[in-house]
Amino acid sequence: MKDTRERIINTTIELFKKQGYEETTIAQICKECHITKGTFYYHFANKDDITFAYYEQLYSDLSPVVMEIINIDNAKEQLWKTLEFSIDNTISLTPKLLKSFMISDIQRGMNFFSPYKAYKSSNSRIKQYDMQIQLIKKGQKNNEIKKGNPEAMLHVYTSALMGIAMDWSSNDGYYDEKEELRKVFDTIF
């Protein structure tokens, strides 16, 4: 069952990238995955659910990020790596697809991309948030990160990230989103 769900998610994301969110139908998803509509609806209520399942799948295994930050001595750079993981995966979606995902989330009450709810949306996101807070505290203790309330600092960064992501996706990615997010990161932390 888990394999089928992951295959649906991964195949759908590739279809979204290739032909667009709106243009991809559930029938096409089923055909590409070699499943019935009943199987699709067993795993997902609609296409929007796949969007959020994609992000949840990303955050469910943070071991690649943890393995990468183990070899970094500076807590600020470790923190950046945890954020960069999300940024790189979001950028890989393409501006058009990210825009569609954000619109879908807005229509559903901003339960996923909201800076107020983002780190409370699932157990895996909570783990990521807790790791980031610990890195901020460690960095502050080692004078690598500015003093301040770690939760507030992370919230401000997440808010800026969402704003930049919205601008970047709405303007067809005409600038380097990651570069802009690094500037904001250095300003806050």
Side-chain angles (χ1 to χ4, degrees):
M1 286 294 185
K2 184 178 177 187
D3 291 343
T4 301
R5 182 177 170 80
E6 287 178 9
R7 185 169 36 112
I8 294 169
I9 294 167
N10 296 334
T11 301
T12 303
I13 294 300
E14 289 308 310
L15 284 170
F16 287 166
K17 286 180 184 179
K18 240 188 283 182
Q19 58 193 40
Y21 180 81
E22 295 297 328
E23 295 79 9
T24 302
T25 66
I26 291 174
Q28 289 172 320
I29 295 167
C30 292
K31 182 179 178 187
E32 285 293 316
C33 292
H34 307 289
I35 60 171
T36 65
K37 282 189 178 183
T39 300
F40 176 89
Y41 287 114
Y42 174 80
H43 292 283
F44 301 99
N46 52 47
K47 287 191 316 187
D48 290 346
D49 284 353
I50 295 172
T51 303
F52 308 108
Y54 167 75
Y55 277 102
E56 182 59 26
Q57 183 177 293
L58 280 178
Y59 296 118
S60 67
D61 182 13
L62 292 175
S63 57
V65 176
V66 172
M67 293 306 293
E68 201 170 330
I69 67 173
I70 285 174
N71 298 317
I72 301 172
D73 292 332
N74 184 297
K76 183 177 178 180
E77 292 308 311
Q78 289 176 328
L79 177 63
W80 171 251
K81 280 293 178 193
T82 69
L83 296 165
E84 186 180 45
F85 173 77
S86 301
I87 293 165
D88 287 343
N89 282 295
T90 299
I91 290 171
S92 76
L93 292 175
T94 72
K96 184 178 179 182
L97 187 52
L98 178 59
K99 181 179 175 182
S100 294
F101 284 0
M102 294 184 102
I103 289 169
S104 170
D105 194 38
I106 288 168
Q107 292 170 338
R108 293 171 66 154
M110 287 292 285
N111 289 314
F112 194 81
F113 289 113
S114 166
Y116 293 96
K117 301 175 188 174
Y119 290 106
K120 300 173 188 159
S121 62
S122 69
N123 287 335
S124 57
R125 298 285 299 274
I126 291 167
K127 287 179 189 175
Q128 181 190 31
Y129 175 81
D130 290 343
M131 178 173 61
Q132 290 167 338
I133 292 298
Q134 292 309 311
L135 287 170
I136 294 169
K137 289 177 180 178
K138 176 182 166 187
Q140 289 173 331
K141 183 179 174 185
N142 297 338
N143 293 316
E144 298 161 346
I145 293 178
K146 296 172 186 172
K147 299 297 181 205
N149 179 310
E151 291 84 3
M153 294 169 82
L154 191 55
H155 177 79
V156 168
Y157 183 78
T158 303
S159 297
L161 182 146
M162 296 303 178
I164 290 171
M166 190 171 289
D167 180 69
W168 179 79
S169 65
S170 296
N171 290 290
D172 297 321
Y174 77 91
Y175 58 87
D176 186 333
E177 180 186 18
K178 188 172 173 178
E179 182 180 307
E180 291 303 310
L181 288 168
R182 180 61 199 226
K183 288 177 194 174
V184 172
F185 174 83
D186 289 334
T187 300
I188 295 170
F189 298 104

